[in-house]
Amino acid sequence: MYDERFPGLRRRGFLAATTGAAALALVGCSGGTDDKAAGGSGTPKRGGRLRAAFAGGGAGETLDPHLANLFADVARAKALFDKLADYGADLSAEPRLAEKWESNKTLDRWKVTLRQATFHDGKPVTAKDVLYSYRRISDPEQAFRAKASLEPIDLDASRATGERSIEFVLKRPTAEFPNVLAAFGAYIVPEHATGTDFDRKPIGSGPFRFVSFAPGRSAVFRRHDTYWDGAPHLDEIEFVVANEESARVGALLGGQVEYAHELNPTTARAHEGSGRIEIVRLRNSAMQAFCMKTDRAPFDDKRVREAFFLIADRQELVDGALSGAGEIGNDLFGKGYEYYAADLPQRTQDLDRARALLKQAGAENLKVTLDTSAVAAGFTEAAGIFRDQAAKAGVTIDVKMGSKDSYWSDILDGGTLSCYRSGAMPIEAHLSQRLLTDSTTNATKWRHKDFDALYQQAQSTRDKAERAAVYERMQRRLHAEGGFLVWGFADWIIGTAKNVRGVEAKAPANTLNWARFDKVWLA
């Protein structure tokens, strides 16, 4: 099933999402974490094997980076492979295998220059490898996750202009083309590499090289000594599969692993400051929202949508549904990310104004169904809390539980109001993938030609400040009358052993420094 929590991923252990994040760089955490233990203080020490526990995908797991869907898949892919770019803490694109990029005046041709890097077999990473990788991802017969992200590129017209230079010809002006290079799953593999190669002995240009892989059980990778970004401190990284959170926590507490991915807030609270393990919180990692269908009653009336914005007590939702592990939202995606409209006033609960708007819309005594599911942490709790909040404004909400297996596809086109979640991605990508008339995952059914035109204007604008002003106009409109009631942003929570160093918690999940192990060491 498609999982909105992380674009392009499928659900299972929630790793389905990811930004193709890189190896996890754990960093300081809040609430009593010892900075010396969790942060980057001290001199890195070389050697040792770090064992990292993730929820896995069973016997069908693969090391093909273009098929990575689960968090475990993405963490393994980041260890073995590289992308041309990746997302920084603010979700802006940062060069990786690409040393630099530059566009023509009309923003429909981009020249990318590769840095000097080698694959694990000693062969250089070349322009031909890049074009082969992108053409493989774009194969219409395959379901590779980065395919939609690479759609702006005319791969037939694009060409290598040298061993380490590529001219990308685009189908239209794309000012945010570096986001394409950083797209989830857009890993660079050697020319002519096939699925069989990945299953047998994958060769990448990442910080670790392949040693062994037992699908659904474990994978062992060894340090790539000539890695272009510096050899990892660790000798080896082992990814082990533990699908239940209790198993991951138990292994961490018992010393069987040094890193446990995806802890719930209750577990974090129980162990934070205990002195046994470190808790790392990746802030602003997941948008939490209610999705209103703007093309059907009652939410085709913007007064009703505004009323629902005003019904929400956001702090109560964060405290109750997320156990306080997050911060309130303001009905916009991407808090803290590049281009976020931070100057808009924070919306607060106003039940009197909500009731007045409902009366103006002829929606007094409104009854509406709220679709939810146990598909994501906090969904059922958020639904119950919002139901009680709405009752204070005279709105009756009937909470309907859906199937975990089909929830995301069910709410994409069906229903009128639903619980919603999204992982980190650039604000530009959120706008293009979810809020344009022809967006394939337009869950709010927000379809406005003038809004589409603003997006195209932004993509045709070279000056970044002018482009940011256009994005702000778009966000102001969404804040006033959009279909996403964004009530919060959840922390992503990780546990580590006390001897783990070099971890970074400044970035959300799905970014370069999430699940990045080449900069981690064992004290």
Side-chain angles (χ1 to χ4, degrees):
M1 263 340 288
Y2 177 83
D3 191 339
E4 274 292 348
R5 292 170 300 178
F6 288 78
L9 302 190
R10 311 199 182 275
R11 101 166 231 95
R12 171 78 180 163
F14 196 136
L15 191 199
T18 238
T19 232
L24 184 106
L26 298 159
V27 143
C29 66
S30 65
T33 296
D34 183 299
D35 181 66
K36 188 174 181 179
S41 59
T43 302
K45 177 183 176 182
R46 184 162 176 166
R49 174 190 284 191
L50 184 144
R51 298 160 297 180
F54 285 79
E61 288 181 338
T62 177
L63 294 181
D64 187 333
H66 300 155
L67 286 173
N69 280 322
L70 305 181
F71 277 145
D73 297 333
V74 175
R76 290 187 293 248
K78 290 181 71 171
L80 290 174
F81 301 92
D82 275 314
K83 295 186 292 182
L84 294 185
D86 213 332
Y87 298 121
D90 68 349
L91 275 293
S92 62
E94 297 182 359
R96 296 300 290 164
L97 281 177
E99 186 174 65
K100 61 180 180 180
W101 48 69
E102 55 186 341
S103 71
N104 63 355
K105 291 183 178 180
T106 53
L107 297 170
D108 57 0
R109 288 178 184 263
W110 286 74
K111 179 182 178 181
V112 174
T113 302
L114 303 179
R115 66 176 69 253
Q116 291 186 339
T118 60
F119 288 110
H120 300 149
D121 60 2
K123 295 180 180 178
V125 178
T126 69
K128 290 183 178 179
D129 298 312
V130 171
L131 289 171
Y132 170 79
S133 300
Y134 281 13
R135 287 167 180 156
R136 179 177 191 261
I137 292 169
S138 301
D139 183 347
E141 300 300 318
Q142 300 294 329
F144 293 131
R145 61 179 296 180
K147 184 186 300 184
S149 298
L150 299 186
E151 183 276 333
I153 304 175
D154 183 342
L155 286 168
D156 291 331
S158 300
R159 63 193 181 95
T161 56
E163 185 176 52
R164 293 191 295 116
S165 60
I166 309 126
E167 181 186 53
F168 286 107
V169 178
L170 307 186
K171 300 171 185 176
R172 53 189 172 274
T174 308
E176 307 293 349
F177 179 66
N179 287 346
V180 175
L181 308 180
F184 309 135
Y187 295 98
I188 306 306
V189 302
E191 187 178 16
H192 306 310
T194 67
T196 302
D197 297 325
F198 298 123
D199 291 338
R200 186 177 65 249
K201 187 177 181 180
I203 293 175
S205 62
F208 295 91
R209 61 174 72 235
F210 175 82
V211 174
S212 65
F213 178 50
R217 295 176 56 194
S218 72
V220 177
F221 306 147
R222 186 167 297 137
R223 177 176 53 240
H224 180 196
D225 288 316
T226 58
Y227 183 51
W228 65 266
D229 198 22
H233 305 306
L234 298 168
D235 288 335
E236 292 184 335
I237 173 73
E238 180 179 9
F239 296 94
V240 298
V241 172
N243 284 328
E244 299 301 323
E245 188 227 20
S246 58
R248 296 192 295 277
V249 174
L252 180 61
L253 292 170
Q256 286 84 41
V257 301
E258 291 74 37
Y259 168 83
H261 190 259
E262 191 185 353
L263 306 187
N264 67 49
T266 302
T267 300
R269 267 202 321 275
H271 295 286
E272 201 160 26
S274 68
R276 300 183 66 189
I277 62 175
E278 299 295 339
I279 299 298
V280 181
R281 298 176 182 273
L282 307 185
R283 304 295 186 182
N284 292 350
S285 287
M287 177 190 84
Q288 307 286 328
F290 298 115
C291 173
M292 299 177 281
K293 292 283 191 296
T294 63
D295 67 339
R296 64 200 66 169
F299 299 112
D300 54 351
D301 189 319
K302 65 182 181 181
R303 293 170 297 187
V304 175
R305 301 198 296 274
E306 184 182 354
F308 270 61
F309 290 149
L310 295 170
I311 284 171
D313 181 334
R314 296 148 204 280
Q315 192 61 57
E316 184 180 24
L317 283 160
V318 169
D319 292 342
L322 302 180
S323 298
E327 58 182 285
I328 62 171
N330 196 29
D331 302 323
L332 291 174
F333 175 84
K335 191 172 186 176
Y337 301 172
E338 183 180 39
Y339 299 123
Y340 182 73
D343 292 336
L344 286 172
Q346 174 64 52
R347 185 172 272 130
T348 58
Q349 187 183 57
D350 187 339
L351 295 177
D352 289 339
R353 175 63 178 160
R355 282 189 286 263
L357 286 165
L358 291 170
K359 184 175 181 179
Q360 291 173 21
E364 293 176 285
N365 302 315
L366 177 65
K367 295 182 179 180
V368 65
T369 297
L370 170 57
D371 289 302
T372 191
S373 170
V375 69
F379 268 29
T380 56
E381 294 85 351
I385 293 168
F386 191 63
R387 175 192 60 207
D388 295 342
Q389 292 175 357
K392 298 175 183 178
V395 175
T396 300
I397 289 182
D398 175 29
V399 176
K400 178 183 176 183
M401 291 293 295
S403 166
K404 291 195 294 184
D405 294 328
S406 62
Y407 180 77
W408 296 109
S409 60
D410 291 343
I411 68 161
L412 182 59
D413 296 309
T416 56
L417 178 68
S418 59
C419 288
Y420 191 89
R421 180 175 184 168
S422 171
M425 62 194 306
I427 286 174
E428 171 275 322
H430 170 75
L431 293 171
S432 66
Q433 294 181 22
R434 296 168 179 162
L435 292 162
L436 302 184
T437 298
D438 60 355
S439 295
T440 57
T441 55
N442 190 339
T444 63
K445 306 307 175 188
W446 176 263
R447 298 187 179 103
H448 298 275
K449 292 298 184 182
D450 57 341
F451 190 86
D452 299 348
L454 283 174
Y455 176 78
Q456 296 305 328
Q457 179 184 339
Q459 288 297 290
S460 301
T461 302
R462 286 184 60 85
D463 184 82
K464 187 172 182 178
E466 294 178 9
R467 193 161 66 246
V470 179
Y471 287 135
E472 182 175 357
R473 286 179 60 191
M474 299 174 75
Q475 291 177 84
R476 283 186 178 276
R477 183 167 177 192
L478 292 169
H479 184 262
E481 57 183 86
F484 282 123
L485 193 173
V486 182
W487 55 263
F489 290 88
D491 298 341
W492 197 246
I493 305 176
I494 296 157
T496 71
K498 296 287 289 184
N499 66 331
V500 174
R501 299 288 191 275
V503 196
E504 189 176 339
K506 295 178 181 178
N510 287 0
T511 57
L512 172 63
N513 286 329
W514 164 82
R516 181 176 186 180
F517 296 100
D518 57 312
K519 303 303 181 186
V520 173
W521 72 95
L522 300 175

